[in-house]
Amino acid sequence: MNNEQKVTNEIKAPNKDLVNLRKDFPQCFDKDGNFQLEKFTLNLNEKEINFSTESYGLDWLGKSYARLLASDPATTLLKADEAHNKKDENKSSKNLLIKGDNLEVLKHLANAYYEEVKMIYIDPPYNTGSDGFVYNDDRKFTVKELQQLIGIDEEKAKRILAFTQSKSNSHSAWLTFLYPRLYLAKQLLKDEGVIFISIDDNEVAQLRLLMDEVFGEENFVGKFIWRKKEGGGQTDEFFVREHEYILVYRKSGEFVWKDEEIINSDTSFNKTDALGKYKAVKLAKWGTGARKEDRPTMYFSIKDPDNKNTFPIAPDGNPGRWRVGKTRMQNIIDNGLIHWEKKNGDYIPYEKIYYSEGDVKVIKDRSIIFDETSNTDGANALTELFGIKDIFENPKPTQLIQFLIRNNTEKEDVILDFFAGSGSTGHSVFSQNQVDSNNRKFILIQLPELINPQKKKITYDFVKDELKAEPSIFEITKERLIRAASKITKENKDYKGDLGFKIFETTPIWENYDFEVDKLDTQTKLFNESKLTDEDIKALLITWKTYDGIALTQDLETIVLGSYTAYYGNGKLYLMNKGFTTDNLKTLLEKIDSDKKFNPTSIITFGYHFDSKHLRELSENVKQYSNKKNIDIDFITRF
Ligand SMILES: C[S@@+](CC[C@H](N)C(=O)[O-])C[C@H]1O[C@@H](n2cnc3c(N)ncnc32)[C@H](O)[C@@H]1O
């Protein structure tokens, strides 16, 4: 059958709630597909369901508009950065960095990555008043359109449009910005999936209620308090704010938090004292960030068995830092949990970790992330990679993100960050995979937000002069990932993990790309296809294949049909180019016949590149062929 599809201007997230409702309650829909709420209520067994009588929730100006943004079609296409993607380190990489507004990108990912993501970490603008957050929206609705689209009165439509166009940073503006993005992101999470959101006091109350609404209150897992700095803050008005939060919501009850487990067979429990078997874990920090300068407050002395002061030593022999802060150290000392070993005349302290009865000892994580890492670690990591200080404001430490990754993902799990910033999440995935030999993949999304030369001259000059690129934050994200990968390679020469990534970006749909299918046959072409370049056709192909559920990292196979080139993947054959002839059709049918690995279940043609005579011929031949062979091949003409 010949099926006409308008896709390019219609890319949006599928409403799976409706699909599920239809599947489970078909009796509640009338013959025209309208949902009958009364029937639905009657269908529920009222004895088993407690109806909430409490009408409680979060409301703000713009909420209905925010819902519209979540369901509104994308206004862009996706295209590949071919030069980057074909480099050796990237060509078979399964990691992704996507340049664009995350609202657009999440819509593009809605099919291909539906329920594919195990963990989301985001660090959105906190709306501090000085972090530059303002509501930005290039969708242009008239008052009338808005009234119709979301069913509100004229007065409210005017107020919503006024605030969406006034560069506001009110709570309403922030909520309107975040709601559709969270709504779309939730659809990408697996049932066992989890989302972590960094936030501070400015919006934590709003975010909690917003997340209750989007994810459901019963899916609130908890809230970490992370001590992000020590010292400083003398300009804070009342008391020094040392912490911020990480909100944690799960997608469903399928989620489990993986505690650190020490298993019986762990041979490092090779010491014994009156309390039993234990292992000794060094108290001086090792690995990265182990120098005194990294955490000056974690450089202090403790008394050794000879009552002499002992200071932490870094792996390079210089002054180092402890793994724990003063309070925890005192606790360890008071509880007799230090194991001393004498090396070259000096005492070295270790923490005793006891082996417990039973098969497994579980060490539960705590809701306060206290001594492990701070903003300074985040900044130091960037300074080390770029050789320049303060290239990016408050990057999150990879140690913090790795802690979340370690406990929630493994193997080939996909980790998404749609406010990528300096790319800390990508760096953390690279590092954690190297440490524990897993093969997790990341998807990062970052807006090409322009760097203001007045506010961030160092960064602006670096991108312009050294990277020779348009000075946008995206370039920092990209460069950070490249430098992090090369550092890991240098430090671990034999490491063979995936340290590459592919780049895609959004690009606006061409002006006037609009049509009315029924008028096409009468030659009323509303869009002049001759304007489309090879690059444009490639963008269409990438956008459509993603819409059809094919991952961005999966390349389509090039199929040569005589003089014509087609593209194939996951049972879908794309005929995008001009010049398809009857001979090419013959070659195509012969190939289906003879090539056992080539079994297209859909043939998708780009309507503007086929005239109606050819299209009819093609579709009839495919139909005859599939009838004869008793196979199903959908023939789709797409615009
Ligand atoms: C607080 S920063 C994230 C920092 C990051 N966690 C790190 O460690 O570097 C938020 C980032 O989101 C980006 N951003 C803001 N709005 C965006 C949007 N609509 N789409 C994609 N990125 C956006 C900003 O450019 C900024 O880089």
Side-chain angles (χ1 to χ4, degrees):
M1 76 210 105
N2 188 3
N3 216 324
E4 271 175 351
Q5 284 183 351
K6 184 180 175 184
V7 164
T8 309
N9 274 316
E10 287 297 328
I11 291 173
K12 47 182 161 185
N15 189 343
K16 302 272 179 174
D17 292 344
L18 194 61
V19 173
N20 291 335
L21 207 57
R22 275 224 161 86
K23 191 169 124 245
D24 295 336
F25 297 93
Q27 69 277 34
C28 300
F29 288 83
D30 71 13
K31 68 176 183 352
D32 301 321
N34 299 319
F35 182 61
Q36 298 167 293
L37 184 60
E38 260 176 39
K39 268 199 178 163
F40 180 68
T41 326
L42 282 174
N43 253 279
L44 301 171
N45 186 341
E46 292 180 29
K47 284 195 211 81
E48 284 172 19
I49 292 187
N50 296 327
F51 287 90
S52 169
T53 48
E54 189 189 34
S55 132
Y56 176 78
L58 174 68
D59 202 4
W60 73 91
L61 176 72
K63 187 173 181 180
S64 45
Y65 181 73
R67 282 213 193 92
L68 171 69
L69 290 180
S71 59
D72 201 33
T75 57
T76 53
L77 301 176
L78 287 176
K79 69 176 188 192
D81 180 339
E82 289 186 11
H84 174 92
N85 295 356
K86 69 175 182 228
K87 288 189 179 153
D88 275 350
E89 61 273 30
N90 304 324
K91 66 177 182 241
S92 48
S93 175
K94 298 275 181 271
N95 298 313
L96 280 172
L97 168 62
I98 308 177
K99 172 161 136 186
D101 183 339
N102 48 18
L103 182 60
E104 284 291 313
V105 178
L106 289 168
K107 286 177 184 175
H108 283 294
L109 300 185
N111 289 327
Y113 294 87
Y114 180 72
E115 297 191 342
E116 285 290 325
V117 172
K118 180 69 206 308
M119 169 182 152
I120 298 176
Y121 170 75
I122 53 166
D123 177 16
Y126 289 181
N127 204 11
T128 59
S130 60
D131 67 357
F133 171 78
V134 287
Y135 189 85
N136 232 335
D137 189 346
D138 51 16
R139 281 175 169 69
K140 304 254 177 304
F141 296 104
T142 63
V143 172
K144 274 253 148 2
E145 278 167 346
L146 207 56
Q147 274 184 268
Q148 269 172 6
L149 281 167
I150 52 183
I152 48 172
D153 63 32
E154 185 179 340
E155 173 55 27
K156 194 159 178 201
K158 278 188 183 152
R159 280 173 58 210
I160 292 175
L161 283 182
F163 106 73
T164 61
Q165 285 157 18
S166 67
K167 304 235 174 288
S168 165
N169 66 355
S170 63
H171 291 305
S172 287
W174 191 82
L175 287 164
T176 305
F177 170 71
L178 226 58
Y179 174 90
R181 289 161 171 89
L182 291 172
Y183 178 89
L184 292 167
K186 182 187 163 202
Q187 304 201 4
L188 304 186
L189 271 185
K190 292 181 171 202
D191 282 347
E192 322 75 280
V194 60
I195 177 168
F196 298 96
I197 310 182
S198 278
I199 200 71
D200 75 1
D201 281 314
N202 288 288
E203 295 290 356
V204 68
Q206 284 64 249
L207 183 62
R208 195 52 207 278
L209 290 177
L210 183 70
M211 288 299 285
D212 282 350
E213 171 140 352
V214 178
F215 279 73
E217 204 177 335
E218 63 177 18
N219 289 323
F220 173 65
V221 172
K223 181 167 75 173
F224 282 109
I225 289 172
W226 171 49
R227 180 155 86 153
K228 63 174 179 179
K229 65 174 180 188
E230 286 172 274
Q234 295 315 317
T235 51
D236 287 3
E237 190 180 1
F238 302 112
F239 42 79
V240 181
R241 287 187 201 210
E242 290 190 326
H243 71 281
E244 56 181 60
Y245 310 97
I246 301 175
L247 288 195
V248 190
Y249 280 75
R250 62 183 185 184
K251 172 79 174 280
S252 76
E254 303 281 302
F255 165 74
V256 276
W257 182 272
K258 201 168 96 205
D259 289 305
E260 223 176 295
E261 291 176 347
I262 299 174
I263 301 177
N264 239 345
S265 57
D266 188 340
T267 52
S268 57
F269 287 93
N270 53 7
K271 299 181 176 54
T272 317
D273 67 6
L275 293 176
K277 237 181 357 170
Y278 67 88
K279 68 170 166 183
V281 181
K282 227 178 176 178
L283 271 161
K285 173 97 173 68
W286 61 89
T288 51
R291 295 165 310 175
K292 176 185 174 188
E293 316 71 280
D294 294 325
R295 295 299 291 280
T297 54
M298 288 167 94
Y299 176 80
F300 51 87
S301 68
I302 57 173
K303 297 279 183 206
D304 75 6
D306 295 338
N307 215 23
K308 267 187 16 210
N309 286 334
T310 304
F311 287 90
I313 315 254
D316 61 5
N318 285 317
R321 49 163 281 213
W322 301 116
R323 223 174 5 92
V324 297
K326 269 194 173 146
T327 324
R328 248 179 76 188
M329 183 66 95
Q330 199 51 51
N331 231 307
I332 292 173
I333 296 171
D334 294 347
N335 289 304
L337 293 177
I338 294 207
H339 165 97
W340 292 97
E341 257 178 42
K342 209 166 188 178
K343 275 191 191 147
N344 306 329
D346 290 324
Y347 274 109
I348 314 228
Y350 292 77
E351 185 181 359
K352 292 178 178 177
I353 307 228
Y354 283 92
Y355 160 82
S356 75
E357 283 304 303
D359 276 325
V360 173
K361 175 174 175 175
V362 171
I363 304 177
K364 280 229 164 275
D365 287 307
R366 308 260 140 200
S367 63
I368 303 182
I369 306 174
F370 195 66
D371 280 332
E372 280 76 6
T373 181
S374 76
N375 259 340
T376 319
D377 293 327
N380 287 348
L382 275 199
T383 309
E384 197 183 333
L385 287 178
F386 284 90
I388 306 175
K389 259 180 103 139
D390 295 332
I391 199 150
F392 188 88
E393 214 74 48
N394 295 327
K396 289 290 181 283
T398 49
Q399 293 90 329
L400 181 69
I401 306 175
Q402 275 178 253
F403 157 68
L404 305 174
I405 291 178
R406 213 168 36 236
N407 281 303
N408 293 287
T409 61
E410 56 175 0
K411 296 181 184 146
E412 312 261 301
D413 281 340
V414 178
I415 295 152
L416 166 69
D417 180 348
F418 51 96
F419 287 100
S422 70
S424 312
T425 301
H427 187 166
S428 305
V429 171
F430 280 157
S431 296
Q432 193 56 38
N433 280 343
Q434 191 273 321
V435 171
D436 61 14
S437 308
N438 281 288
N439 210 354
R440 304 169 183 93
K441 302 168 243 184
F442 62 73
I443 303 176
L444 303 188
I445 307 174
Q446 174 57 39
L447 191 70
E449 184 181 326
L450 294 179
I451 301 164
N452 182 339
Q454 262 91 49
K455 288 196 186 140
K456 266 293 178 205
K457 185 155 167 44
I458 303 174
T459 317
Y460 182 90
D461 288 346
F462 172 78
V463 178
K464 196 164 111 329
D465 302 336
E466 284 205 32
L467 302 182
K468 312 233 177 299
E470 174 197 53
S472 89
I473 303 208
F474 172 83
E475 298 301 331
I476 297 291
T477 327
K478 174 179 163 188
E479 188 63 19
R480 198 279 178 77
L481 293 175
I482 293 173
R483 291 182 182 216
S486 106
K487 179 166 188 278
I488 292 174
T489 311
K490 249 190 232 129
E491 290 170 358
N492 308 277
K493 293 243 163 14
D494 297 328
Y495 182 61
K496 293 276 177 297
D498 181 359
L499 289 172
F501 59 98
K502 291 216 158 100
I503 298 184
F504 291 85
E505 65 179 274
T506 57
T507 171
I509 299 177
W510 315 285
E511 250 178 72
N512 308 325
Y513 189 89
D514 214 346
F515 75 107
E516 290 168 36
V517 178
D518 47 352
K519 288 193 186 154
L520 260 183
D521 271 353
T522 62
Q523 300 304 310
T524 316
K525 294 212 172 175
L526 299 179
F527 179 69
N528 176 4
E529 86 281 0
S530 65
K531 279 197 299 203
L532 295 186
T533 62
D534 282 354
E535 295 301 303
D536 294 336
I537 298 299
K538 281 183 190 160
L540 259 193
L541 183 59
I542 288 176
T543 310
W544 286 359
K545 78 156 205 210
T546 317
Y547 173 85
D548 290 331
I550 303 177
L552 273 168
T553 47
Q554 181 186 333
D555 287 332
L556 293 175
E557 207 184 315
T558 301
I559 302 282
V560 179
L561 305 168
S563 58
Y564 189 87
T565 306
Y567 309 93
Y568 179 65
N570 295 21
K572 300 195 163 56
L573 182 71
Y574 296 91
L575 308 181
M576 305 299 288
N577 299 318
K578 288 183 191 169
F580 192 85
T581 63
T582 315
D583 275 352
N584 301 141
L585 175 63
K586 246 178 77 196
T587 320
L588 169 61
L589 298 181
E590 277 165 18
K591 186 171 171 64
I592 301 180
D593 244 359
S594 61
D595 184 345
K596 291 282 159 282
K597 287 201 303 253
F598 181 65
N599 309 300
T601 48
S602 316
I603 297 180
I604 297 161
T605 59
F606 177 38
Y608 288 128
H609 280 179
F610 288 77
D611 62 34
S612 42
K613 179 177 141 271
H614 260 102
L615 271 182
R616 257 195 307 278
E617 182 189 40
L618 234 176
S619 105
E620 273 162 22
N621 275 288
V622 169
K623 195 164 131 197
Q624 271 174 21
Y625 177 84
S626 47
N627 283 344
K628 197 168 93 196
K629 299 274 165 175
N630 208 6
I631 51 176
D632 253 347
I633 302 183
D634 268 349
F635 188 83
I636 298 164
T637 307
R638 194 178 271 181
F639 298 91

